Structure formats: C-alpha cells, structure tokens
Amino acid sequence: MKKTTFNHLWRNAIDDHVLALDWSPDGQTLAVASVSGPVTLFHLDGTRRFTLPAHGFGTMSMSFQPCPDSSLLATSGQDGKVRLWDSSTGEQICEMDGGSAWVERLDWSTDGAYLASCAGRKIRLWTPAGEMLQAYDHPRSTVSSLGWRPKRAGDERPQVLAVTGYGGLNLYTPGESACIEENPWKGSALVMAWSPDGRFIATGDQDSTIHFWFADTGQNLQMWGYPVKVMQLAWDASSRYLATGGSDSVVVWDCSGKGPEGSKPATLQSHEDLISCLAFQPVGDILASGGRDGNLMLWRGMKNKKTPLLTAELEEPVSQINWSPNGKFLAAGTEAGDVFLFEVK
C-alpha cells in the first residue's frame, strides 16, 4: 500500500475562535467563520480573498450551496438573520428573517434547491434566491439540529428534512404544510447526521448516549457507555462506519448488515483530552480527529488502535476540521483563531 503523507501547506489567523469551516463546491475557496461574526474567505493557496461582515452579534452557522458551479454562501447568526453571499465577489445578495433572535442552524438540500434554517422552534425553507417557501413551528421543543436526507444520482424520492430536539425526531418535506412523520422518544438529541446512503439517522444525546434511527421504519437503537455528551458524529462515504466523540477516544460503530445492534464498537485511543471534532474523507477512507489536546490525527482501518496513521500538533484546542470535496486537503481551525491547511496524499 502506498505510504500516506500529511503535508502542512499554510497557516493563517483570524481574529477569534474558529466556529465553522466550509469549502466551496469547486474546492478552491475555504470559508472560515469566527465566533464574533466575520467570515473570512481564503483561496486554496492561502491568499485571503474577502472578509464578510456576516452577523454583527456573532455568526452561528454557514454553508456553501452544493452545486458544481455555485459561489453562493449562506450564513446565519445572533441577529436573527439568514444572509446569502456571492463568494466570488464578497457581495451580499439578500437578507432573510429567520423568525427568532438567534438562527442557530443552516443546511442545504443535496441538490441545492432548498435551504433550511432553524431559530428556536421556527423552521423555515428558502429558495436559493432567498424566497421563503415554507414555515413550521417545531411542536415539542427548540430545534437542536437539522439535516436533509442525502440523495444520489437517479434517486427520485422527494427531499426530506430531519429535525431533532427534545422528544424525538420529525420529518418534513417541501410542499407539505406540516410534519410528515413523527418519531417520538423521551429524551433530547443534540446533534444529528444522516448516513450518506440515507438509511440511518444518528443522533448524539443529552444523556451521553447515541441513537440510530432507521429512516424507512422509524425503529431506533440506543447505545450507552459514553462519559460525556456526544457532540461529534461522522459517517464514512460507504455508510458502513459511524465515528463518534464523547470521550478522549474515537468510538467507531460498524453499521453494515443489519446495523450496529448487538455489536461491539472499535476504539481509537490516542488523544489526551476530549475529542472536539471528527470528519471522514468524502472520497477515501481516512478519518480525521481533532482534540482539545491540540492534536490533529489521521486514522485508517476502523479497528481497535492506539496509534494513529499520522499526527499534527496544532498547539491549541482544535475547534473545527473539514475536508475539501475531493478529499485531498484537510482544513483545521483552533480556539485561538489559527487556520491550517494540510495536503493528504
């Protein structure tokens, strides 16, 4: 097997804690959001292109429209607004009212046709032009996370948005004025992630557990044993493995066959403090983990391991990581505001 290399290409800095990272669909622009609000756009070579004012009281979420030729970037923040930007010029295209004081989450549908936002209990669906298509009030609680079901070429199923909070998981679809499916559960989900094949929805929960929801049936499985709340979830491209945080080790569940029920997860042990972020290559089989110990690690082969494939020491707690669309570049941000780019070969 060819030896994997981990080359440090550049290091830059923004003014504050790195809250979010996202890549443009062509992989040429890296957007970096700070807790205080501004969003800085870097070219792949490390050149600083624009700094967007974004949200004056603080940016909370951002996402590029996932269309091959799109330069559209959506942001949301503590001013109650959703904004659309042209990342090629740095110009704001439009501003939308999120429905509450803070707009915590954003997510584009796989085809880029819909943008979902959540603010408190308010869920809103938007077109890429900023027109509101639908508004919902989540029935049981504040929305903690949301995400569109992945769709691949030839998939003719309607778009489905999953929404979590206290009391379970609800499904919505554009054109319907109410929830199309309720999956109640007496607990509180904090984060969620669809498997790339759309078979599972995984949630990390308030009671230091994770749930696997079977999307087609609503059946759910609960997995225990985490010392703290699970706030990090990452699926591999094949949908076989789910990597989870919740400790100083990465716990990996094998979801092949009938799913993870009755199986024992693998443990990747090396961080000296809690896991802060996880991400699988979108193309490839390498898992990246970032920790509060300041280490960025790469793993291959989801078996019990104590030694990572490669390690980079970033000096400060790692707050965010994100792979480029082609899986060749890995961006990392720290709580101190440093931004790193690595090439993985």
Side-chain angles (χ1 to χ4, degrees):
M1 182 180 290
K2 182 180 176 182
K3 183 179 179 181
T4 301
T5 59
F6 197 25
N7 302 317
H8 179 205
L9 298 182
W10 51 259
R11 177 179 182 174
N12 271 304
I14 60 172
D15 293 335
D16 206 346
H17 177 123
V18 176
L19 174 79
L21 300 169
D22 199 26
W23 288 91
S24 61
D26 64 5
Q28 295 300 302
T29 301
L30 175 67
V32 183
S34 67
V35 167
S36 55
V39 172
T40 304
L41 303 180
F42 292 98
H43 191 269
L44 182 60
D45 65 8
T47 305
R48 194 182 299 250
R49 299 183 60 202
F50 307 107
T51 297
L52 313 178
H55 303 270
F57 298 112
T59 295
M60 302 196 76
S61 184
M62 69 175 182
S63 182
F64 276 101
Q65 184 188 31
C67 298
D69 300 321
S70 177
S71 60
L72 193 62
L73 175 68
T75 65
S76 68
Q78 296 183 35
D79 55 4
K81 303 298 182 183
V82 177
R83 294 191 171 93
L84 299 179
W85 308 84
D86 184 341
S87 65
S88 66
T89 64
E91 298 296 320
Q92 179 177 306
I93 297 172
C94 60
E95 174 184 293
M96 302 97 85
D97 184 357
S100 188
W102 289 18
V103 185
E104 294 95 346
R105 309 280 182 186
L106 292 173
D107 194 46
W108 288 98
S109 59
T110 308
D111 61 2
Y114 305 103
L115 175 68
S117 67
C118 67
R121 295 190 179 198
K122 305 292 184 182
I123 305 163
R124 296 191 170 179
L125 305 186
W126 312 90
T127 70
E131 175 189 0
M132 188 169 69
L133 294 175
Q134 207 79 44
Y136 307 103
D137 287 322
H138 193 53
R140 290 184 294 269
S141 71
T142 296
V143 175
S144 60
S145 190
L146 80 173
W148 292 93
R149 180 174 61 194
K151 291 186 71 174
R152 293 175 174 171
D155 186 349
E156 297 182 354
R157 295 177 299 176
Q159 295 285 358
V160 172
L161 178 71
V163 176
T164 61
Y166 179 80
L169 181 147
N170 284 10
L171 300 181
Y172 299 84
T173 193
E176 297 291 338
S177 60
C179 169
I180 61 169
E181 183 179 322
E182 292 190 36
N183 297 284
W185 169 63
K186 293 183 179 180
S188 183
L190 303 175
V191 293
M192 62 157 288
W194 284 88
S195 59
D197 62 6
R199 182 185 178 199
F200 291 108
I201 303 169
T203 65
D205 305 326
Q206 179 73 31
D207 59 359
S208 301
T209 66
I210 62 169
H211 259 77
F212 290 94
W213 303 80
F214 288 81
D216 290 340
T217 65
Q219 176 190 359
N220 70 90
L221 311 171
Q222 191 172 21
M223 306 301 190
W224 303 81
Y226 294 88
V228 299
K229 300 171 188 175
V230 181
M231 298 295 293
Q232 302 81 30
L233 303 170
W235 288 96
D236 80 317
S238 73
S239 300
R240 175 174 180 175
Y241 295 112
L242 175 71
T244 63
S247 73
D248 56 2
S249 300
V250 184
V251 176
V252 183
W253 296 90
D254 188 338
C255 300
S256 58
K258 294 183 179 180
E261 186 174 20
S263 67
K264 183 177 180 180
T267 302
L268 312 180
Q269 299 174 318
S270 268
H271 285 281
E272 297 176 0
D273 204 338
L274 293 174
I275 304 294
S276 53
C277 41
L278 294 169
F280 270 103
Q281 277 181 308
V283 180
D285 61 353
I286 295 176
L287 171 68
S289 64
R292 291 197 53 77
D293 57 2
N295 288 330
L296 177 63
M297 298 181 178
L298 300 186
W299 307 85
R300 173 180 277 140
M302 299 296 106
K303 303 296 183 182
N304 292 308
K305 289 188 175 184
K306 294 185 179 180
T307 304
L309 183 67
L310 293 163
T311 300
E313 297 180 2
L314 306 191
E315 302 172 8
E316 297 290 340
V318 184
S319 57
Q320 296 289 329
I321 54 177
N322 201 312
W323 290 94
S324 63
N326 61 10
K328 294 181 179 179
F329 302 98
L330 178 63
T334 72
E335 292 184 3
D338 291 315
V339 184
F340 298 81
L341 188 68
F342 297 88
E343 183 179 25
V344 180
K345 290 184 177 180

